[in-house]
DNA sequence: AATGTAATGTTATAATATAACATTTATGGA
DNA sequence: TCCATAAATGTTATATTATAACATTACATT
């Protein structure tokens, strides 16, 4: 019984991203409904923009896109929406890039491990019990109590290094 | 044969920090000498300021301190020194805090794992082969080639949660 | 409708980091 | 020693990322 999850794998270039997007928005709607939270138009729009693709998106890029629809948007518009989405597990921040990725597994807040391709920018997200347990074990040895884990691994995805040379 | 290293443990409150500082500067001098690099006064001063304690230090705090000695310092002064020190493994950046910690193990560049206490701010640094190998194994499964690892674990150090309640 | 709370609008500013170019300082060879 | 070069630093300006503070609007409950 292994609870390791691949929350979001690297996608083949051919994949139908519209489906990713739709299912992410649907999941977010359902999650908010169940939790009695409001997925307001701004929040939904920001979430859609984060889900443009499988690469981390910058807050000010989101802002630029928001402004195209509604010129009154300002930084707090974006950061508030991102804060809400992060609190609900609908978005994660990639600390080493100051950028944000969508997550379609909001049911339970989780600590993820991210694998980020330096070449194409794609991100894969795992929720891997083996990694969590190992970190837990290491921490336990010196009496450290883990509250939050940040694991961001940079390198090359399969496609990129296979096509690379 | 286990190559796991505790590069920097959590220190007892009583520890003689002057010794940490001195040995870190000495190690840096030796490292630069061996590598034919120049640990200039600015670089050494920045390194000393990073080693003020075992908490991550902010670039602009370093800058404020530099200015006390020499009012001509500006952001590039600090960031250039930090870049140099990071390239040489004398300093690491904690991405999730936008802050910098000293490393007294510059001989070989390494990927570290950081454990950071949310309460007292102290940081412990490991260079743990078990963690690296597990991440490697996980990455390998989907053909990912690791170039760089960021592992930053937040929580409470032993002292803080023992004294906490 | 009256009230309280949540969300958004708006302006300003804080915090982090880099670009670009000028000047100075070290270094190694003629 | 002197010069040519590269390395390091100085200086000014600006880019990027994020938050503070307060006003206004929308929503839900009574
Ligand atoms: Zn997709
Ligand atoms: Zn790639
Ligand atoms: Zn110390
Ligand atoms: Zn602590």
């Amino acid at each position: 019984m292994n609870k390791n999850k691949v929350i979001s794998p690297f996608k083949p270039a051919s994949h139908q991203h519209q489906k990713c997007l739709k299912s992410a928005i649907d999941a977010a709607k359902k999650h908010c409904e169940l939790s009695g939270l409001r997925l307001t138009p701004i929040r939904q729009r920001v979430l859609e923009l984060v889900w443009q693709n499988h690469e981390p998106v910058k807050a000010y890029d989101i802002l630029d896109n928001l402004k195209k629809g509604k010129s009154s948007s300002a930084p707090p518009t974006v950061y508030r929406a991102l804060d809400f989405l992060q609190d609900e597990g609908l978005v994660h921040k990639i600390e080493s890039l100051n950028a944000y990725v969508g997550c379609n597994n909001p049911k339970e807040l989780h600590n993820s491990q991210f694998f980020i391709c330096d070449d194409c920018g794609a991100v894969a997200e795992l929720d891997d019990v083996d990694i969590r347990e190992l970190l837990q074990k290491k921490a336990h040895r010196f009496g450290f109590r883990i509250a939050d884990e940040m694991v961001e691994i940079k390198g090359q995805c399969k496609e990129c290094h296979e096509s690379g040379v």
Side-chain angles (χ1 to χ4, degrees), chain A residues 16-158:
Chain A
Q16 293 291 354
H17 186 63
Q18 288 311 309
K19 290 187 184 172
C20 297
L21 179 57
K22 181 168 188 323
S23 88
I25 301 300
D26 287 349
K29 281 179 180 164
K30 189 165 298 177
H31 169 81
C32 289
E33 214 161 307
L34 291 175
S35 313
L37 298 165
R38 294 171 56 207
L39 189 65
T40 62
I42 288 177
R43 289 166 176 175
Q44 180 170 335
R45 186 75 189 114
V46 169
L47 184 57
E48 287 164 4
L49 290 168
V50 169
W51 273 100
Q52 281 171 103
N53 50 44
H54 295 276
E55 302 172 27
V57 178
K58 300 248 152 194
Y60 276 73
D61 289 342
I62 294 171
L63 179 56
D64 290 342
N65 279 305
L66 274 187
K67 280 178 178 165
K68 288 177 190 167
K70 215 189 166 210
S71 65
S72 75
S73 305
T77 313
V78 171
Y79 283 104
R80 283 167 183 155
L82 286 174
D83 285 348
F84 170 85
L85 296 168
Q86 285 176 269
D87 286 346
E88 296 310 316
L90 295 163
V91 155
H92 298 293
K93 181 176 183 184
I94 306 294
E95 297 286 354
S96 58
L97 298 175
N98 295 319
Y100 304 82
V101 289
C103 179
N104 54 17
N105 192 47
K107 294 129 216 162
E108 37 187 319
L109 291 175
H110 50 271
N111 280 119
S112 308
Q113 301 86 38
F114 296 99
F115 293 78
I116 305 156
C117 180
D118 291 324
D119 287 6
C120 69
V123 172
E125 178 181 357
L126 305 187
D127 182 3
D128 190 292
V129 172
D130 299 332
I131 295 173
R132 285 223 311 277
E133 283 180 350
L134 181 57
L135 291 172
Q136 192 60 249
K137 185 173 119 190
K138 297 291 177 177
H140 188 259
R141 291 199 186 154
F142 46 95
F144 190 88
R145 271 193 200 160
I146 294 178
D148 196 29
E149 300 163 18
M150 202 204 78
V151 177
E152 299 176 7
I153 310 301
K154 307 287 189 61
Q156 276 190 308
C157 74
K158 192 178 182 192

